[in-house]
Amino acid sequence: MRYWLMKSEPSEFSIDDLAAAPNQTVDWYGVRNYQARNFMRDQMRVGDGVLFYHSSCAEPGIVGIAEVCREAYPDRTQFIPGHKYFDPKATPENPRWFNVDVRLVRKTRLLSLKELRATPELANLRVLQRGNRLSITPVDPREWNCIINLLG
DNA sequence: GCCAACGTTGGC
DNA sequence: GCCAACGTTGGC
């Protein structure tokens, strides 16, 4: 059992979109970074905890708790010509990109980036490190517990 | 919109 | 394999 933080731009897919989705579940398509892909493909298991994070928006921060509900399988969007996430080098026989499915556990209050940075126990949280741009990062169990407490 | 930081690409 | 150029991310 591991814990993760997953970023999404709310203008693309928000916590409310997740809440409104069928089964409150979404396939986490569109990841086109190898490190983030490897986390999904190689390490994520059903039941892993997910912090849903809004990025590139007015109030960046954690806005909900979710969980991995299906292990990684080929990202459907890599095969769709003209799609934003089409990859001409990917084939169904040799897919390049994978995604898990994520299901909402509950929406939370906004735990802002500012508040995260102000919490000493979270000083090593990956997403707070300088220059970090990974859309999926592991979260230490102690950090997870700290954040759950902050969320109330 | 700016720009620092970082990943990817491609010529050599 | 090097590395310059380019593209993207994401907070501000």
Side-chain angles (χ1 to χ4, degrees), chain A residues 103-149:
Chain A
R103 179 167 55 219
L104 181 68
V105 173
R106 65 181 172 98
K107 286 177 64 176
T108 64
R109 73 177 179 91
L110 170 71
L111 175 51
S112 68
L113 178 59
K114 184 189 261 188
E115 191 174 348
L116 292 170
R117 287 198 189 285
T119 305
E121 299 94 310
L122 300 177
N124 294 322
L125 193 66
R126 281 284 286 277
V127 79
L128 301 182
Q129 303 311 307
R130 183 165 154 273
N132 171 75
R133 299 185 316 174
L134 264 188
S135 64
I136 299 174
T137 49
V139 174
D140 182 90
R142 283 206 291 226
E143 294 167 339
W144 170 273
N145 289 331
C146 176
I147 288 166
I148 296 297
N149 285 335

Short mmCIF file of all heavy atoms in Angstrom, two decimals, chain A residues 103-149:
data_model
loop_
_atom_site.label_atom_id
_atom_site.label_comp_id
_atom_site.label_asym_id
_atom_site.label_seq_id
_atom_site.Cartn_x
_atom_site.Cartn_y
_atom_site.Cartn_z
N ARG A 103 -10.54 6.54 -8.24
CA ARG A 103 -11.91 6.77 -7.77
C ARG A 103 -11.90 7.71 -6.57
O ARG A 103 -11.06 7.60 -5.68
CB ARG A 103 -12.55 5.44 -7.38
CG ARG A 103 -14.00 5.57 -6.83
CD ARG A 103 -14.68 4.23 -6.77
NE ARG A 103 -13.90 3.29 -5.99
CZ ARG A 103 -13.75 1.98 -6.29
NH1 ARG A 103 -14.36 1.47 -7.34
NH2 ARG A 103 -13.01 1.21 -5.54
N LEU A 104 -12.87 8.62 -6.57
CA LEU A 104 -12.99 9.57 -5.47
C LEU A 104 -13.32 8.85 -4.17
O LEU A 104 -14.19 7.97 -4.14
CB LEU A 104 -14.08 10.58 -5.79
CG LEU A 104 -14.32 11.67 -4.73
CD1 LEU A 104 -13.13 12.62 -4.64
CD2 LEU A 104 -15.59 12.45 -5.05
N VAL A 105 -12.63 9.23 -3.11
CA VAL A 105 -13.02 8.78 -1.77
C VAL A 105 -13.86 9.88 -1.13
O VAL A 105 -14.98 9.65 -0.70
CB VAL A 105 -11.78 8.46 -0.91
CG1 VAL A 105 -12.18 8.16 0.53
CG2 VAL A 105 -11.04 7.27 -1.52
N ARG A 106 -13.31 11.09 -1.08
CA ARG A 106 -14.11 12.23 -0.63
C ARG A 106 -13.45 13.54 -1.04
O ARG A 106 -12.23 13.63 -1.13
CB ARG A 106 -14.30 12.20 0.88
CG ARG A 106 -13.03 12.37 1.70
CD ARG A 106 -13.33 12.30 3.21
NE ARG A 106 -12.11 12.27 4.00
CZ ARG A 106 -11.56 13.36 4.59
NH1 ARG A 106 -12.13 14.55 4.43
NH2 ARG A 106 -10.47 13.26 5.30
N LYS A 107 -14.30 14.50 -1.30
CA LYS A 107 -13.80 15.86 -1.46
C LYS A 107 -13.40 16.37 -0.09
O LYS A 107 -13.94 15.96 0.93
CB LYS A 107 -14.89 16.77 -2.04
CG LYS A 107 -15.18 16.55 -3.51
CD LYS A 107 -16.32 17.43 -3.99
CE LYS A 107 -15.98 18.90 -3.90
NZ LYS A 107 -17.08 19.76 -4.46
N THR A 108 -12.43 17.28 -0.09
CA THR A 108 -11.99 17.87 1.18
C THR A 108 -12.00 19.39 1.03
O THR A 108 -12.27 19.91 -0.05
CB THR A 108 -10.55 17.44 1.51
OG1 THR A 108 -9.67 17.95 0.50
CG2 THR A 108 -10.44 15.91 1.57
N ARG A 109 -11.69 20.05 2.11
CA ARG A 109 -11.45 21.48 2.00
C ARG A 109 -10.20 21.69 1.16
O ARG A 109 -9.45 20.74 0.91
CB ARG A 109 -11.24 22.09 3.39
CG ARG A 109 -9.89 21.74 4.04
CD ARG A 109 -9.74 22.43 5.39
NE ARG A 109 -8.47 22.10 6.05
CZ ARG A 109 -7.35 22.81 5.91
NH1 ARG A 109 -7.31 23.86 5.10
NH2 ARG A 109 -6.24 22.47 6.55
N LEU A 110 -9.99 22.92 0.70
CA LEU A 110 -8.74 23.22 0.01
C LEU A 110 -7.61 23.30 1.03
O LEU A 110 -7.65 24.10 1.96
CB LEU A 110 -8.86 24.57 -0.71
CG LEU A 110 -7.53 25.11 -1.26
CD1 LEU A 110 -7.06 24.29 -2.46
CD2 LEU A 110 -7.65 26.58 -1.63
N LEU A 111 -6.64 22.42 0.86
CA LEU A 111 -5.40 22.51 1.64
C LEU A 111 -4.38 23.12 0.69
O LEU A 111 -3.82 22.45 -0.18
CB LEU A 111 -4.98 21.12 2.12
CG LEU A 111 -3.65 20.99 2.86
CD1 LEU A 111 -3.53 22.00 4.00
CD2 LEU A 111 -3.47 19.58 3.38
N SER A 112 -4.17 24.42 0.86
CA SER A 112 -3.46 25.19 -0.16
C SER A 112 -1.97 24.88 -0.19
O SER A 112 -1.39 24.43 0.81
CB SER A 112 -3.66 26.68 0.08
OG SER A 112 -2.99 27.07 1.27
N LEU A 113 -1.37 25.17 -1.32
CA LEU A 113 0.08 25.04 -1.45
C LEU A 113 0.78 25.86 -0.37
O LEU A 113 1.77 25.42 0.23
CB LEU A 113 0.50 25.52 -2.85
CG LEU A 113 1.98 25.52 -3.16
CD1 LEU A 113 2.58 24.13 -3.01
CD2 LEU A 113 2.22 26.05 -4.57
N LYS A 114 0.25 27.03 -0.11
CA LYS A 114 0.83 27.90 0.91
C LYS A 114 0.84 27.20 2.28
O LYS A 114 1.84 27.21 3.00
CB LYS A 114 0.03 29.20 0.98
CG LYS A 114 0.60 30.23 1.94
CD LYS A 114 -0.37 31.39 2.11
CE LYS A 114 0.01 32.57 1.23
NZ LYS A 114 -0.82 33.76 1.51
N GLU A 115 -0.30 26.57 2.60
CA GLU A 115 -0.39 25.88 3.88
C GLU A 115 0.53 24.66 3.93
O GLU A 115 1.14 24.34 4.95
CB GLU A 115 -1.84 25.48 4.15
CG GLU A 115 -2.09 24.99 5.58
CD GLU A 115 -3.57 24.73 5.88
OE1 GLU A 115 -4.43 25.14 5.07
OE2 GLU A 115 -3.84 24.11 6.92
N LEU A 116 0.63 23.95 2.82
CA LEU A 116 1.54 22.82 2.75
C LEU A 116 2.97 23.28 3.02
O LEU A 116 3.70 22.66 3.80
CB LEU A 116 1.46 22.15 1.37
CG LEU A 116 0.15 21.42 1.03
CD1 LEU A 116 0.13 21.02 -0.44
CD2 LEU A 116 -0.04 20.20 1.92
N ARG A 117 3.34 24.37 2.38
CA ARG A 117 4.71 24.89 2.56
C ARG A 117 4.96 25.35 3.99
O ARG A 117 6.09 25.35 4.47
CB ARG A 117 4.96 26.06 1.61
CG ARG A 117 5.13 25.65 0.16
CD ARG A 117 5.79 26.76 -0.63
NE ARG A 117 5.77 26.49 -2.06
CZ ARG A 117 6.56 25.60 -2.67
NH1 ARG A 117 7.41 24.89 -1.95
NH2 ARG A 117 6.49 25.40 -3.97
N ALA A 118 3.91 25.75 4.68
CA ALA A 118 4.05 26.29 6.04
C ALA A 118 4.06 25.19 7.09
O ALA A 118 4.18 25.48 8.28
CB ALA A 118 2.92 27.27 6.32
N THR A 119 3.93 23.93 6.65
CA THR A 119 3.87 22.82 7.60
C THR A 119 5.22 22.13 7.69
O THR A 119 5.65 21.49 6.73
CB THR A 119 2.79 21.80 7.15
OG1 THR A 119 1.55 22.48 6.98
CG2 THR A 119 2.65 20.68 8.17
N PRO A 120 5.91 22.26 8.82
CA PRO A 120 7.29 21.74 8.94
C PRO A 120 7.40 20.25 8.62
O PRO A 120 8.37 19.82 7.99
CB PRO A 120 7.64 22.02 10.40
CG PRO A 120 6.75 23.14 10.82
CD PRO A 120 5.48 22.96 10.04
N GLU A 121 6.40 19.45 9.05
CA GLU A 121 6.46 18.00 8.82
C GLU A 121 6.44 17.65 7.34
O GLU A 121 6.74 16.52 6.96
CB GLU A 121 5.29 17.29 9.51
CG GLU A 121 5.27 17.47 11.02
CD GLU A 121 4.37 18.65 11.43
OE1 GLU A 121 4.52 19.75 10.87
OE2 GLU A 121 3.54 18.44 12.33
N LEU A 122 6.05 18.61 6.52
CA LEU A 122 5.93 18.33 5.08
C LEU A 122 7.08 18.93 4.28
O LEU A 122 7.01 19.03 3.05
CB LEU A 122 4.59 18.88 4.56
CG LEU A 122 3.36 18.27 5.21
CD1 LEU A 122 2.09 18.94 4.68
CD2 LEU A 122 3.30 16.76 4.97
N ALA A 123 8.15 19.29 4.98
CA ALA A 123 9.27 19.96 4.31
C ALA A 123 9.85 19.13 3.17
O ALA A 123 10.36 19.68 2.19
CB ALA A 123 10.36 20.28 5.33
N ASN A 124 9.75 17.80 3.28
CA ASN A 124 10.33 16.95 2.25
C ASN A 124 9.33 16.43 1.23
O ASN A 124 9.66 15.58 0.40
CB ASN A 124 11.04 15.76 2.90
CG ASN A 124 12.25 16.21 3.70
OD1 ASN A 124 12.98 17.12 3.30
ND2 ASN A 124 12.46 15.58 4.85
N LEU A 125 8.10 16.88 1.32
CA LEU A 125 7.09 16.45 0.35
C LEU A 125 7.58 16.76 -1.06
O LEU A 125 7.97 17.88 -1.36
CB LEU A 125 5.76 17.18 0.64
CG LEU A 125 4.51 16.66 -0.07
CD1 LEU A 125 4.15 15.25 0.43
CD2 LEU A 125 3.35 17.62 0.14
N ARG A 126 7.54 15.72 -1.90
CA ARG A 126 8.13 15.85 -3.24
C ARG A 126 7.60 17.04 -4.02
O ARG A 126 8.34 17.76 -4.69
CB ARG A 126 7.88 14.56 -4.05
CG ARG A 126 8.80 13.41 -3.72
CD ARG A 126 10.20 13.58 -4.31
NE ARG A 126 10.27 13.36 -5.74
CZ ARG A 126 10.37 12.16 -6.32
NH1 ARG A 126 10.38 11.08 -5.60
NH2 ARG A 126 10.46 12.05 -7.64
N VAL A 127 6.30 17.22 -3.93
CA VAL A 127 5.69 18.26 -4.76
C VAL A 127 6.11 19.67 -4.33
O VAL A 127 5.96 20.62 -5.07
CB VAL A 127 4.16 18.10 -4.76
CG1 VAL A 127 3.55 18.69 -3.49
CG2 VAL A 127 3.53 18.70 -6.01
N LEU A 128 6.70 19.77 -3.13
CA LEU A 128 7.14 21.08 -2.66
C LEU A 128 8.59 21.37 -3.02
O LEU A 128 9.07 22.49 -2.82
CB LEU A 128 6.99 21.17 -1.13
CG LEU A 128 5.59 20.96 -0.57
CD1 LEU A 128 5.59 21.14 0.94
CD2 LEU A 128 4.60 21.93 -1.21
N GLN A 129 9.28 20.37 -3.53
CA GLN A 129 10.70 20.57 -3.80
C GLN A 129 10.89 21.49 -5.01
O GLN A 129 10.09 21.51 -5.93
CB GLN A 129 11.40 19.23 -4.03
CG GLN A 129 11.25 18.26 -2.87
CD GLN A 129 11.58 18.88 -1.51
OE1 GLN A 129 12.64 19.46 -1.33
NE2 GLN A 129 10.65 18.78 -0.58
N ARG A 130 11.96 22.21 -4.94
CA ARG A 130 12.27 23.21 -5.96
C ARG A 130 12.31 22.58 -7.36
O ARG A 130 12.96 21.57 -7.58
CB ARG A 130 13.61 23.84 -5.63
CG ARG A 130 14.07 24.94 -6.52
CD ARG A 130 15.21 25.68 -5.84
NE ARG A 130 16.09 26.32 -6.81
CZ ARG A 130 17.13 25.69 -7.37
NH1 ARG A 130 17.38 24.45 -7.07
NH2 ARG A 130 17.90 26.34 -8.23
N GLY A 131 11.63 23.22 -8.27
CA GLY A 131 11.68 22.79 -9.66
C GLY A 131 10.89 21.54 -9.97
O GLY A 131 10.90 21.07 -11.10
N ASN A 132 10.19 21.01 -8.96
CA ASN A 132 9.43 19.79 -9.22
C ASN A 132 8.30 20.04 -10.21
O ASN A 132 7.51 20.95 -10.07
CB ASN A 132 8.82 19.25 -7.93
CG ASN A 132 7.85 18.12 -8.23
OD1 ASN A 132 8.27 17.02 -8.54
ND2 ASN A 132 6.58 18.42 -8.18
N ARG A 133 8.24 19.19 -11.22
CA ARG A 133 7.18 19.34 -12.20
C ARG A 133 6.45 18.03 -12.44
O ARG A 133 5.54 17.97 -13.25
CB ARG A 133 7.74 19.84 -13.54
CG ARG A 133 8.40 21.19 -13.45
CD ARG A 133 8.81 21.65 -14.82
NE ARG A 133 9.43 20.56 -15.55
CZ ARG A 133 9.78 20.64 -16.82
NH1 ARG A 133 9.56 21.72 -17.49
NH2 ARG A 133 10.33 19.63 -17.41
N LEU A 134 6.86 16.99 -11.76
CA LEU A 134 6.22 15.69 -11.97
C LEU A 134 4.75 15.76 -11.59
O LEU A 134 4.40 16.27 -10.54
CB LEU A 134 6.90 14.63 -11.11
CG LEU A 134 7.98 13.78 -11.74
CD1 LEU A 134 8.37 12.68 -10.77
CD2 LEU A 134 7.54 13.20 -13.05
N SER A 135 3.91 15.19 -12.45
CA SER A 135 2.47 15.26 -12.19
C SER A 135 2.02 14.18 -11.23
O SER A 135 0.92 14.25 -10.70
CB SER A 135 1.70 15.16 -13.51
OG SER A 135 1.93 13.90 -14.11
N ILE A 136 2.88 13.17 -11.02
CA ILE A 136 2.58 12.14 -10.04
C ILE A 136 3.81 11.96 -9.17
O ILE A 136 4.90 11.71 -9.68
CB ILE A 136 2.24 10.80 -10.73
CG1 ILE A 136 1.01 10.96 -11.61
CG2 ILE A 136 2.02 9.69 -9.70
CD1 ILE A 136 0.67 9.73 -12.44
N THR A 137 3.64 12.07 -7.86
CA THR A 137 4.77 11.90 -6.96
C THR A 137 4.36 11.02 -5.78
O THR A 137 3.21 11.07 -5.33
CB THR A 137 5.27 13.25 -6.43
OG1 THR A 137 4.17 14.02 -5.96
CG2 THR A 137 6.00 14.02 -7.50
N PRO A 138 5.32 10.22 -5.28
CA PRO A 138 5.04 9.41 -4.10
C PRO A 138 4.92 10.28 -2.85
O PRO A 138 5.55 11.33 -2.77
CB PRO A 138 6.25 8.47 -3.99
CG PRO A 138 7.25 8.94 -4.97
CD PRO A 138 6.67 10.02 -5.81
N VAL A 139 4.11 9.81 -1.92
CA VAL A 139 3.92 10.50 -0.65
C VAL A 139 4.27 9.52 0.47
O VAL A 139 3.77 8.40 0.49
CB VAL A 139 2.46 10.99 -0.50
CG1 VAL A 139 2.24 11.59 0.88
CG2 VAL A 139 2.11 12.00 -1.59
N ASP A 140 5.14 9.95 1.35
CA ASP A 140 5.55 9.14 2.49
C ASP A 140 4.35 8.90 3.42
O ASP A 140 3.52 9.79 3.59
CB ASP A 140 6.65 9.93 3.21
CG ASP A 140 7.21 9.19 4.39
OD1 ASP A 140 8.17 8.45 4.18
OD2 ASP A 140 6.67 9.38 5.49
N PRO A 141 4.25 7.71 4.03
CA PRO A 141 3.11 7.45 4.94
C PRO A 141 2.97 8.50 6.04
O PRO A 141 1.85 8.87 6.40
CB PRO A 141 3.43 6.08 5.54
CG PRO A 141 4.30 5.42 4.53
CD PRO A 141 5.08 6.52 3.87
N ARG A 142 4.09 8.96 6.57
CA ARG A 142 3.99 10.00 7.61
C ARG A 142 3.45 11.31 7.06
O ARG A 142 2.70 12.02 7.72
CB ARG A 142 5.35 10.20 8.27
CG ARG A 142 5.68 9.08 9.26
CD ARG A 142 6.62 9.58 10.32
NE ARG A 142 7.91 9.83 9.68
CZ ARG A 142 9.09 9.43 10.17
NH1 ARG A 142 9.19 8.86 11.27
NH2 ARG A 142 10.20 9.64 9.53
N GLU A 143 3.88 11.62 5.83
CA GLU A 143 3.35 12.82 5.19
C GLU A 143 1.86 12.66 4.92
O GLU A 143 1.07 13.60 5.10
CB GLU A 143 4.10 13.08 3.88
CG GLU A 143 5.57 13.42 4.09
CD GLU A 143 6.40 13.36 2.81
OE1 GLU A 143 5.98 12.69 1.83
OE2 GLU A 143 7.46 13.97 2.79
N TRP A 144 1.50 11.46 4.48
CA TRP A 144 0.07 11.18 4.22
C TRP A 144 -0.74 11.40 5.50
O TRP A 144 -1.75 12.10 5.49
CB TRP A 144 -0.08 9.75 3.71
CG TRP A 144 -1.51 9.27 3.63
CD1 TRP A 144 -2.24 8.69 4.61
CD2 TRP A 144 -2.38 9.36 2.49
NE1 TRP A 144 -3.50 8.39 4.16
CE2 TRP A 144 -3.62 8.80 2.87
CE3 TRP A 144 -2.22 9.87 1.18
CZ2 TRP A 144 -4.70 8.71 1.98
CZ3 TRP A 144 -3.31 9.78 0.31
CH2 TRP A 144 -4.52 9.21 0.71
N ASN A 145 -0.29 10.84 6.59
CA ASN A 145 -1.02 10.98 7.86
C ASN A 145 -1.12 12.43 8.29
O ASN A 145 -2.16 12.89 8.76
CB ASN A 145 -0.35 10.14 8.95
CG ASN A 145 -0.55 8.65 8.74
OD1 ASN A 145 -1.55 8.23 8.14
ND2 ASN A 145 0.40 7.84 9.19
N CYS A 146 -0.03 13.14 8.12
CA CYS A 146 -0.02 14.56 8.47
C CYS A 146 -1.07 15.32 7.65
O CYS A 146 -1.83 16.13 8.18
CB CYS A 146 1.38 15.13 8.22
SG CYS A 146 1.51 16.89 8.48
N ILE A 147 -1.10 15.03 6.36
CA ILE A 147 -2.04 15.73 5.48
C ILE A 147 -3.49 15.35 5.81
O ILE A 147 -4.38 16.21 5.83
CB ILE A 147 -1.70 15.43 4.00
CG1 ILE A 147 -0.41 16.18 3.64
CG2 ILE A 147 -2.84 15.82 3.08
CD1 ILE A 147 0.23 15.74 2.34
N ILE A 148 -3.72 14.06 6.08
CA ILE A 148 -5.07 13.65 6.46
C ILE A 148 -5.53 14.39 7.71
O ILE A 148 -6.67 14.85 7.80
CB ILE A 148 -5.12 12.11 6.69
CG1 ILE A 148 -4.80 11.36 5.40
CG2 ILE A 148 -6.48 11.69 7.25
CD1 ILE A 148 -5.78 11.56 4.28
N ASN A 149 -4.62 14.54 8.65
CA ASN A 149 -4.96 15.29 9.87
C ASN A 149 -5.27 16.74 9.56
O ASN A 149 -6.22 17.30 10.10
CB ASN A 149 -3.81 15.21 10.88
CG ASN A 149 -3.75 13.86 11.56
OD1 ASN A 149 -4.76 13.15 11.66
ND2 ASN A 149 -2.56 13.48 12.03
#
